[in-house]
Amino acid sequence: KLVQSANEMPRNQNINVEEQSIQHLQHFVQNHAASANRSLCDVSNNDSSKLSIPLALGTLSPQQVYHCVKQQQDKLETQDDSITNPADLNWLVNHMEMRDFFIFDSFRNGSSAYRLYPTKPVHKPNTPREWLPLSENQDNFIRWATGQTNLPLVDAGMKELLTTGCTSNRVRQNMASVLTKDLKLDWRLGAEFYQLCLEDHCVAANFGNWIYFSGVGGDPKCRHFRTCSQAWRYDSDGRYVRKWIDRLRDCDANDMEAVLRPWDFQKDWPMPIVPPETQLTWQDREKLEKTGRMSSGD
């Protein structure tokens, strides 16, 4: 997929690909970086830098990103009438640092990066985990990999990944959570599947993120995302899910319950791959029991 991305990069006869990448970086930093909401499910509207492909291809370096951000911050600090806080650009540099860490960690771990437990935790031992064999759970993996879990956010993410070669970080974490925490399947299945699909694939970044999400590396925290609650918080109008799930496209955006819990509203909606109550936080589950809704005001 990355090779395809390289072949499909826009060509301009007057400037080379590296210069195009730099122009895109400068435009994003100057116009969108400070206001980008990276936590959303749908980051298509300038809420993502979209620098991952040039970074993966080497037409842009983290050092160039750093200097572009610092130049813009210096400029903002000299403008008394600026309404943009220079600190709002720090996240882009932080992301470059995380990317560099994943690359360093990949070199440090070598082939052990592909083990079930790639490295020892920094501050506490790995909690014993149950991993189910693929040989006995192949159907669950296929349902996950084809967007047929019947969990709207997870299936929307898979359809976006298969169609475009990318997903937001928020959606990726939810997809990883279902595979490794709910279905209890080997995280490497997800990492290798993503490797086939990502248009911006970087071995270190992809496996590093999966190790982090799955809690099998240096930071073994249990990151179990409740996908229905996550959808309500980070896709509150259902725009992302309705964009990718055809059966939900015509749902009334004013009534999010039908988007968040379609199994309770559509008679022919199959039950999710895991018990739906496991996909709500205890606060949202309690709210649902009391009010019949989880999308009512907090």
Side-chain angles (χ1 to χ4, degrees):
K1 187 67 177 179
L2 180 61
V3 174
Q4 181 181 341
S5 299
N7 293 330
E8 293 177 351
M9 287 191 76
R11 299 294 192 269
N12 186 320
Q13 295 180 353
N14 298 318
I15 59 175
N16 61 39
V17 173
E18 182 179 358
E19 290 172 332
Q20 291 182 62
S21 300
I22 293 173
Q23 286 185 359
H24 171 74
L25 166 66
Q26 292 172 337
H27 176 77
F28 180 77
V29 169
Q30 293 168 9
N31 298 280
H32 303 295
S35 59
N37 188 350
R38 293 97 54 204
S39 66
L40 296 176
C41 294
D42 186 354
V43 294
S44 60
N45 189 26
N46 293 314
D47 287 311
S48 167
S49 69
K50 298 177 177 65
L51 297 176
S52 53
I53 291 179
L55 284 167
L57 292 173
T59 59
L60 195 67
S61 74
Q63 191 175 48
Q64 288 172 306
V65 176
Y66 170 84
H67 285 297
C68 183
V69 169
K70 291 304 179 184
Q71 288 173 3
Q72 181 66 10
Q73 288 179 321
D74 291 342
K75 179 180 178 181
L76 291 171
E77 288 175 353
T78 62
Q79 297 176 351
D80 295 333
D81 59 343
S82 175
I83 61 174
T84 301
N85 184 350
D88 290 339
L89 301 176
N90 286 340
W91 69 269
L92 200 49
V93 174
N94 294 339
H95 282 205
M96 294 303 102
E97 292 174 348
M98 180 58 71
R99 186 176 182 275
D100 278 356
F101 170 77
F102 283 148
I103 294 173
F104 163 79
D105 209 38
S106 181
F107 278 116
R108 184 189 66 169
N109 291 331
S111 60
S112 68
Y114 307 106
R115 296 174 181 170
L116 183 59
Y117 291 96
T119 184
K120 293 181 179 180
V122 173
H123 51 83
K124 63 179 181 180
N126 270 315
T127 302
R129 297 269 297 279
E130 179 185 14
W131 299 98
L132 301 180
L134 178 62
S135 59
E136 299 174 11
N137 296 273
Q138 189 172 2
D139 287 347
N140 280 348
F141 177 71
I142 291 174
R143 289 181 62 182
W144 177 86
T146 55
Q148 299 182 73
T149 67
N150 299 317
L151 295 169
L153 180 58
V154 178
D155 290 349
M158 187 58 72
K159 292 182 185 301
E160 181 186 29
L161 176 66
L162 295 174
T163 303
T164 69
C166 64
T167 61
S168 69
N169 184 62
R170 174 65 53 188
V171 171
R172 183 186 303 203
Q173 290 184 81
N174 278 272
M175 295 167 70
S177 177
V178 168
L179 182 71
T180 63
K181 302 304 194 309
D182 293 301
L183 300 181
K184 301 179 181 179
L185 292 177
D186 192 326
W187 66 270
R188 293 170 295 184
L189 294 169
E192 291 175 7
F193 186 80
Y194 260 70
Q195 179 170 320
L196 293 173
C197 299
L198 287 174
E199 68 169 0
D200 58 355
H201 184 257
C202 165
V203 173
N206 180 41
F207 274 78
N209 270 301
W210 272 91
I211 289 169
Y212 172 76
F213 294 155
S214 305
V216 295
D219 181 9
K221 180 179 178 181
C222 180
R223 297 174 175 85
H224 189 184
F225 282 56
R226 314 296 175 168
T227 63
C228 293
S229 294
Q230 288 273 307
W232 167 233
R233 283 159 179 74
Y234 301 105
D235 185 37
S236 58
D237 58 1
R239 183 181 308 174
Y240 175 76
V241 166
R242 289 185 288 111
K243 176 180 179 180
W244 291 106
I245 305 295
D246 291 339
R247 292 185 59 182
L248 298 178
R249 191 162 294 168
D250 296 329
C251 287
D252 187 353
N254 295 321
D255 187 2
M256 277 295 294
E257 295 301 310
V259 178
L260 295 169
R261 301 181 292 112
W263 47 86
D264 287 334
F265 293 84
Q266 297 188 29
K267 293 181 179 180
D268 58 345
W269 187 279
M271 287 302 292
I273 196 169
V274 294
E277 61 270 16
T278 65
Q279 301 305 300
L280 279 72
T281 63
W282 69 267
Q283 296 98 327
D284 287 340
R285 192 161 58 245
E286 185 178 68
K287 184 192 304 181
L288 179 62
E289 292 173 354
K290 289 182 177 179
T291 68
R293 301 177 61 86
M294 60 170 290
S295 62
S296 55
D298 291 328

